[in-house]
Amino acid sequence: MDIRCARCHRTASYDPSVWRCPCGGPWEPIRPLLFDHRAIQPHRPGIWRYADLWPSALRPISLGEGWTPLIPLHRADPRLWAKLDYLMPTGSYKDRGTAAGLSALLAQGVDEVMDDSSGNAGASLAAYAARAGIRATLFVPAHAAPAKKAQMQRMGARLVEVPGPRAQATAALMETLKEGGIYASHVYNPFILMGLATAAWEIWEQLGRGPDAVIAPLGHGMLFLGLFLGFEALQAAGYIERLPRLYGVQAEACAPLARAFAAGAEDPVPVVEGETIAEGVRIASPPRGREILQAARITGGNIFTVAEEEIRAAQTALAHQGLFVEPTGALAMAAWPRAVQDTDRVVVLMLTGSGLKTPVR
Ligand SMILES: [Zn+2]
């Protein structure tokens, strides 16, 4: 299974013990991803309808993730569609990526993994590791939502709670990694991006066309990059003429990518992470920041910030449509008025995490 470095573009054979390129860059799948509608197998569950487009060496681990509903958001504006990616086995979009990422690790014979997470990625990894019979140790910030921590523990993962900012959980994992082990990072594993690209392919299939724009929460930016790779594949194969504008949304309290985008910078601007109810995007230093900024610029998109009260209002507005998401899952809703252009016919909002995961505030 070949991969390449997103920075120096060296190709390599996938080896889970080499979690990033020797140059320090993150691995990504070989691009553009292969897409051919004739390879779709509609009878296979969820993301596995696209399995014939993927390396045959994968050992599929599935809990039925993917093929989530795409529904009109509300009657007031027929251009707006909501992709309900919170309707997943563990209640977040992460399952698309985890299923593919863990299937790649299993193909390499891995039976024990570590990861660092603020909650949803850890819960997702715990579930798929349980399914695969892989032991998982998760480093989580002590401030993570209790429901998410309980979710991981109930599925058999070993939890290491780390006080302080989110970055401290990563630092603690790095210390442990010096003594050995496999870092099944939900940020560095390139096959996770391959799994997340299916969100773009589903949107294209469900609409019968490409959207004009897609709006997604932006923390580590894995969904954002997965969408980019998915639409890039559709364009390369001639299914869409141009890429949809991709909009990322960050919380004002922690917005290294929005600041860099506005400043025209190549890399994220370092920030001190503040408190936000959108805990899933509380990422001060996203390792794939450069690629996220490139993707936003290539597509003609943008990166917005929203205030805490805007996030709360968006979460409530969605709930009043019967869509119960966590605060992070409401970020696209909070930003859509700034993203939609007069000529747009279809704009998709990514709703990413279930409201059942966090206390109602
Ligand atoms: Zn490299």
Side-chain angles (χ1 to χ4, degrees):
M1 295 192 289
D2 283 346
I3 52 176
R4 73 165 202 168
C5 173
R7 299 276 154 87
C8 73
H9 296 174
R10 121 187 13 215
T11 55
S13 185
Y14 180 51
D15 175 352
S17 67
V18 186
W19 55 274
R20 65 178 171 183
C21 177
C23 85
W27 299 119
E28 64 180 11
I30 303 293
R31 288 170 51 193
L33 295 174
L34 183 66
F35 187 83
D36 182 339
H37 79 282
R38 292 166 300 186
I40 298 171
Q41 303 174 78
H43 61 281
R44 294 193 68 176
I47 64 170
W48 299 96
R49 67 199 280 108
Y50 306 113
D52 271 5
L53 298 161
W54 291 343
S56 56
L58 292 182
R59 288 194 43 206
I61 296 298
S62 177
L63 292 166
E65 60 290 330
W67 201 252
T68 54
L70 180 70
I71 65 167
L73 183 62
H74 51 53
R75 288 194 206 122
D77 193 332
R79 296 173 299 177
L80 299 178
W81 293 75
K83 180 70 169 160
L84 309 190
D85 252 22
Y86 66 97
L87 300 178
M88 288 276 186
T90 73
S92 94
Y93 79 94
K94 304 269 187 191
D95 294 347
R96 284 184 194 283
T98 310
L102 218 60
S103 296
L105 287 169
L106 207 65
Q108 302 291 320
V110 170
D111 61 2
E112 188 164 5
V113 297
M114 291 186 284
D115 194 10
D116 51 319
S117 164
S118 65
N120 284 340
S124 184
L125 184 67
Y128 286 83
R131 182 79 170 179
I134 290 175
R135 282 189 301 280
T137 301
L138 299 165
F139 293 75
V140 295
H143 64 70
K148 292 179 182 175
K149 289 188 275 194
Q151 198 180 358
M152 297 179 218
Q153 276 174 319
R154 286 294 289 272
M155 289 185 288
R158 190 170 77 91
L159 237 61
V160 181
E161 292 196 44
V162 185
R166 166 70 178 82
Q168 290 300 316
T170 307
L173 181 144
M174 288 299 158
E175 269 308 302
T176 307
L177 198 61
K178 287 178 186 164
E179 294 150 28
I182 295 292
Y183 182 23
S185 169
H186 63 284
V187 181
Y188 282 98
N189 182 331
F191 293 96
I192 289 179
L193 288 175
M194 189 187 76
L196 291 169
T198 62
W201 296 348
E202 289 179 17
I203 290 169
W204 176 80
E205 278 199 77
Q206 289 167 321
L207 288 172
R209 57 163 284 170
D212 298 297
V214 181
I215 315 170
L218 196 53
H220 275 126
M222 293 298 280
L223 179 59
F224 193 85
L225 286 172
L227 287 163
F228 178 71
L229 261 60
F231 286 116
E232 178 189 62
L234 287 168
Q235 187 189 39
Y239 291 96
I240 56 173
E241 269 184 40
R242 52 186 183 82
L243 298 170
R245 306 188 311 278
L246 293 184
Y247 294 96
V249 189
Q250 303 209 284
E252 258 175 25
C254 187
L257 292 163
R259 287 195 197 179
F261 190 91
E266 187 184 19
D267 288 301
V269 174
V271 296
V272 177
E273 62 182 80
E275 293 286 332
T276 172
I277 55 170
E279 59 187 18
V281 292
R282 193 171 148 180
I283 308 294
S285 184
R288 294 183 187 270
R290 187 181 302 178
E291 291 71 32
I292 294 162
L293 290 163
Q294 284 169 357
R297 289 182 178 125
I298 287 169
T299 64
N302 204 336
I303 300 175
F304 300 121
T305 61
V306 288
E308 296 298 293
E309 55 272 24
E310 290 179 286
I311 300 170
R312 274 194 202 89
Q315 189 187 18
T316 301
L318 285 169
H320 290 174
Q321 297 287 335
L323 302 169
F324 189 43
V325 299
E326 63 174 321
T328 308
L331 288 176
M333 181 69 176
W336 76 258
R338 283 184 268 168
V340 175
Q341 297 179 2
D342 288 345
T343 52
D344 286 343
R345 284 170 57 202
V346 178
V347 175
V348 176
L349 281 60
M350 300 299 299
L351 307 188
T352 51
S354 168
L356 300 175
K357 284 175 170 278
T358 51
V360 176
R361 290 175 237 215

